[in-house]
Amino acid sequence: MIKRLNLKSINLRLPIGILPAILFLLVLFIAPFLTLAYYSLLTIQKGNIVGGPSFDSYVKLLSDPFTYYLFGRTILLSLVVVAFCLILGYPLAYISTRIKSPALKTFIMVCVAAPLMTSALVRTFGWIAILGKYGLLNNLLASLGLTSTPIPILFTMNGVLIGMIQIHLPFMIVPLLSTLTSLPKDLDDAALNLGASQWQTFWRVIVPQSIPGIAAGVSLVFVLSFTSFTVPTLMGGEALQIVSIYIWNNVRNLTWSIAAAVSALLLITSLTIVTLLNLLFRRLAPWQHPKG
Amino acid sequence: MKRINTFVLIVLVMSLVLSACAPAQTPVSPKATAAPTAAPVKDVKYVDWGFSGDLQVPFRKFLADPFETKNAGVKVTLLGGITEDALSQIKAAQGSSPIDSIMMGEMRYIDAINENILAPLTVKEVPNIALIDADMQKACNGYGAAWMNQIIGVAYNKEKVQPPKNWKDLWDPKYKGQIGIPSPAANNGFLFMVMVAKLFGGSESNLDVVFTKLDELAPFVVAANPSQLAQLLETGEIGLAINWQTQTGPSLSKNSKLDFIIPEPGGAALTSCYTVLSKSANRELAYKYINDSLSTEFQSKISESPWFFGPTNLKAVIPADTLKMNPPMSDIKKLMKFDWSIANKVRTDFTDKFIKRYGK
């Protein structure tokens, strides 16, 4: 039997308490985005509107191979950051939920949260001091006799990756911690009692149950990495263009319609990839979303 | 719980959204605008856009603070950054920018006049313009006061590289991988690239040769602005930086390994014009502020170490030990100058092409 949507059964009345949240989203997100989208349809030269509306900016961008290179590089960079954050963050989150000592647990929580208490700019300058040609890392390697000349890390993709992984790691760990902490405490014991090994318990019981946390962490870190600006600018420089830096350069160059169009494409791409990732995780854990 | 009609709610909210979405057109008429009504001189916030970081220090100490003392009730806020960032903010504000006065290089000055961003500014409004070298004032005539000259040269680390005697020496293989250049989005970057074009057979309107020469110069580091370039040199990431003498000065005072040279056939100079925004509510105050910036006392002070700003006041005293960084005015006039009314027309496309070519 084909199910039909019964409009009469949908309750369209909303409680007044939801109004502030709606206004907040509309004024501070929807309205600016619609303005941005409108600007992307105009022709703007040196900050002045000289034509439009039209799709000229989008045609120009989508017919330029550099656009695909830019987005491809940014997506790849973000996925690598996600992968490293997951590889580094999951064991830390898992171990911290298994530690019995409250003091050690608290210490780990503080270490995870501490980077979030300083600005990304300060942390980035810290990395510049550590990873520079004559910074802490190169000096250490030289003093140990492992290198004779400084290894160039800043203004390379490796430097940008290191900075982004460190800054975004807490955003992977926190959702994982939340999910792993919510799992029943006797789940491990139940699996072991039924004959599973430690590894089987971890891989076939704990990890699948933590997929919602993984999905949340992956989505969050991906979006933050995809739109990251401070770290790539300071640690990568103008020669490592990614989408956010290209938008900034177009704003400075007063080609605002291009900047707006790239911003719109950034949002669409980000939403598409996050949606695909979430669909993937739904397939990996179908029991989390029962039908009916 | 009280409930409301959702349809009415949606209509009200969409009206709010649509009214927020309507952008105001930026006027491009070249007609001069009348001065808006000045705010009363009491608890007045005056905003000046200029330099940031170390280079803002002399402006706070020798210009803004004395100005506040002389004009009771006025509070001067100094903002800093490259001119392009300021212009972006001014245009985005669509007449509501808080900035009152701004110093800008000739390149952006020409664009700003064409777009009616600046208020008329002559010796009538700013009497100290009479103290400025007349040739230098020509660059800013009508809407600005030529208050300072900036020169690009080569800042270098004495322990890492030998200084180039000629600009063309930069293409010597011994400098490979050591060079930092500014982005053409910044004035010193575009000035360097126009200079390269002229040195190798191009012109202000034909910058194609620049890409050929930059391909030969690669690999190099591209910094977003002069401050970042100075930091790269200070931390040893690069051995050579193409930068302003003013931006290099503080670096020299912090690091004795650094030095500065203006290679042959001479540096390229840019006159900076101090201007007032046409929509400033503090126009009279701005004229006074700029007048103070042209005083012999202030101009002499900023020419000293570690700032090395090139003065335009004919009576300014340039200390003898700063002449390497700050040539006398007679020598500055011999430095390379370019026609920015021509070069500006190609700057946007050139910058975009640069980003796409060297941003991979």
Side-chain angles (χ1 to χ4, degrees), chain A residues 198-266:
Chain A
Q198 290 278 11
W199 169 252
Q200 284 173 323
T201 302
F202 170 76
W203 186 245
R204 299 187 66 180
V205 178
I206 302 298
V207 170
Q209 292 292 318
S210 64
I211 281 178
I214 295 173
V218 162
S219 299
L220 197 54
V221 171
F222 178 82
V223 167
L224 290 170
S225 302
F226 196 54
T227 55
S228 184
F229 176 74
T230 307
V231 173
T233 305
L234 293 177
M235 297 181 71
E238 295 270 303
L240 287 177
Q241 289 282 316
I242 57 170
V243 177
S244 55
I245 296 178
Y246 189 63
I247 292 171
W248 178 51
N249 275 314
N250 275 284
V251 171
R252 292 203 296 169
N253 217 15
L254 300 177
T255 45
W256 291 348
S257 48
I258 298 290
V262 177
S263 302
L265 290 175
L266 174 78

Side-chain angles (χ1 to χ4, degrees), chain A:
Chain A
M1 191 172 80
I2 299 170
K3 285 190 177 178
R4 297 184 189 278
L5 183 62
N6 186 350
L7 289 175
K8 289 181 184 171
S9 69
I10 296 175
N11 186 357
L12 291 177
R13 293 178 180 225
L14 299 170
I16 197 168
I18 206 172
L19 187 58
I22 291 178
L23 278 176
F24 180 87
L25 274 175
L26 281 168
V27 173
L28 295 178
F29 178 69
I30 303 292
F33 177 69
L34 290 175
T35 307
L36 187 81
Y38 180 67
Y39 268 98
S40 73
L41 297 175
L42 302 173
T43 304
I44 299 178
Q45 291 173 3
K46 294 195 176 179
N48 301 312
I49 300 169
V50 297
S54 71
F55 288 100
D56 288 352
S57 298
Y58 290 99
V59 170
K60 188 177 173 187
L61 283 169
L62 294 173
S63 58
D64 187 348
F66 181 75
T67 304
Y68 299 96
Y69 176 85
L70 194 71
F71 275 81
R73 169 192 254 177
T74 314
I75 291 169
L76 182 63
L77 172 70
S78 307
L79 290 174
V80 172
V81 172
V82 165
F84 272 97
C85 283
L86 189 58
I87 291 166
L88 295 170
Y90 196 99
L92 182 63
Y94 179 72
I95 290 166
S96 69
T97 59
R98 294 300 186 271
I99 290 172
K100 291 188 174 27
S101 162
L104 192 53
K105 246 187 187 159
T106 305
F107 175 72
I108 292 174
M109 292 299 107
V110 168
C111 288
V112 169
L116 296 174
M117 296 178 195
T118 54
S119 80
L121 190 62
V122 171
R123 281 180 275 162
T124 305
F125 275 113
W127 275 115
I128 290 172
I130 293 170
L131 299 178
K133 272 188 189 169
Y134 301 96
L136 197 65
L137 179 64
N138 269 308
N139 283 340
L140 180 66
L141 292 173
S143 65
L144 292 173
L146 296 172
T147 56
S148 55
T149 54
I151 302 172
I153 303 175
L154 279 184
F155 296 95
T156 67
M157 201 48 87
N158 292 334
V160 174
L161 271 171
I162 292 171
M164 285 175 69
I165 289 166
Q166 186 268 328
I167 282 172
H168 296 133
L169 190 57
F171 297 98
M172 176 65 77
I173 294 174
V174 169
L176 284 172
L177 269 175
S178 172
T179 304
L180 288 167
T181 309
S182 68
L183 294 180
K185 298 278 183 271
D186 47 9
L187 203 59
D188 294 24
D189 294 335
L192 290 168
N193 281 337
L194 289 169
S197 64
Q198 290 278 11
W199 169 252
Q200 284 173 323
T201 302
F202 170 76
W203 186 245
R204 299 187 66 180
V205 178
I206 302 298
V207 170
Q209 292 292 318
S210 64
I211 281 178
I214 295 173
V218 162
S219 299
L220 197 54
V221 171
F222 178 82
V223 167
L224 290 170
S225 302
F226 196 54
T227 55
S228 184
F229 176 74
T230 307
V231 173
T233 305
L234 293 177
M235 297 181 71
E238 295 270 303
L240 287 177
Q241 289 282 316
I242 57 170
V243 177
S244 55
I245 296 178
Y246 189 63
I247 292 171
W248 178 51
N249 275 314
N250 275 284
V251 171
R252 292 203 296 169
N253 217 15
L254 300 177
T255 45
W256 291 348
S257 48
I258 298 290
V262 177
S263 302
L265 290 175
L266 174 78
L267 180 65
I268 292 166
T269 309
S270 177
L271 282 173
T272 304
I273 293 176
V274 168
T275 303
L276 289 173
L277 285 171
N278 280 304
L279 285 172
L280 172 67
F281 284 116
R282 281 172 80 107
R283 287 193 72 114
L284 289 173
W287 57 86
Q288 299 283 352
H289 307 278
K291 290 177 186 174

